[in-house]
Amino acid sequence: YAVHQTTSGGPGDNYYGLHVTTDVYSHNLKPGQQTSTAIWVNHVGNGVKSSLNTISIGWHIYPEHYGDSHPHFYTDWTRDGYAQTGCLNMDCPGFIRVNGAVIAPGDVIHPVSGVPGGRVQNITLRLLKDKTSGDWWVYYGLNGIPTG
Ligand SMILES: *[C@@H]1O[C@H](CO)[C@@H](O)[C@H](O)[C@H]1NC(C)=O
């Protein structure tokens, strides 16, 4: 993990964006096994679980959830420690796929690294908060900078 933690009221108290480029590999995993690479923005609240406010995006291989061992692009969020809100991908209202988006949360990432003779594939992800609406925008690029 790499963590940057701030305290309430301090400088850098509010995050409005994160950006990452990460290689994507296939692994042969079985149900009960899981791997992920992600960026998170968390507000842990007052320590009570229902005050957790978090959003994360990345890729994971999660056979128990998808029934396959492919890398999937994923999103995850909650506003209340998963009491009433939040879920993986588009399993509940929250994420909206924009017209023309090349991928939706939960989709398989293709191609991936690890194929003999193949090249290393990467994805670039951006998580940006709209300061006016408070909505989070997610951008995805395969082997390059997201264009939209
Ligand atoms: C991601 O992949 C592209 C295309 O292969 C390559 O040009 C770029 O250098 C890679 N980026 C990183 C950070 O590895």
Side-chain angles (χ1 to χ4, degrees):
Y1 296 112
V3 176
H4 184 240
Q5 185 173 357
T6 64
T7 50
S8 200
D13 189 21
N14 296 300
Y15 275 96
Y16 291 99
L18 287 177
H19 175 115
V20 69
T21 297
T22 168
D23 293 344
V24 183
Y25 283 89
S26 68
H27 300 287
N28 201 1
L29 302 187
K30 299 178 188 69
Q33 297 179 315
Q34 194 180 340
T35 184
S36 66
T37 299
I39 51 177
W40 279 268
V41 180
N42 280 334
H43 190 283
V44 294
N46 60 11
V48 177
K49 187 171 187 264
S50 63
S51 67
L52 172 70
N53 188 337
T54 183
I55 183 167
S56 64
I57 62 172
W59 68 268
H60 62 186
I61 301 174
Y62 187 4
E64 220 160 283
H65 185 77
Y66 299 102
D68 63 44
S69 186
H70 299 303
H72 291 255
F73 165 57
Y74 85 91
T75 58
D76 190 27
W77 69 280
T78 182
R79 263 189 270 120
D80 57 7
Y82 300 97
Q84 306 284 327
T85 67
C87 61
L88 205 55
N89 301 326
M90 299 178 69
D91 295 354
C92 66
F95 269 97
I96 297 168
R97 186 180 185 173
V98 173
N99 275 347
V102 295
I103 198 166
D107 283 354
V108 171
I109 298 171
H110 185 83
V112 293
S113 322
V115 181
R119 64 179 213 183
V120 176
Q121 311 286 342
N122 63 54
I123 58 171
T124 298
L125 300 173
R126 279 189 185 145
L127 184 61
L128 296 178
K129 188 172 188 173
D130 182 321
K131 287 185 192 175
T132 308
S133 67
D135 291 338
W136 290 91
W137 286 85
V138 176
Y139 298 86
Y140 173 99
L142 179 68
N143 293 318
I145 300 301
T147 52

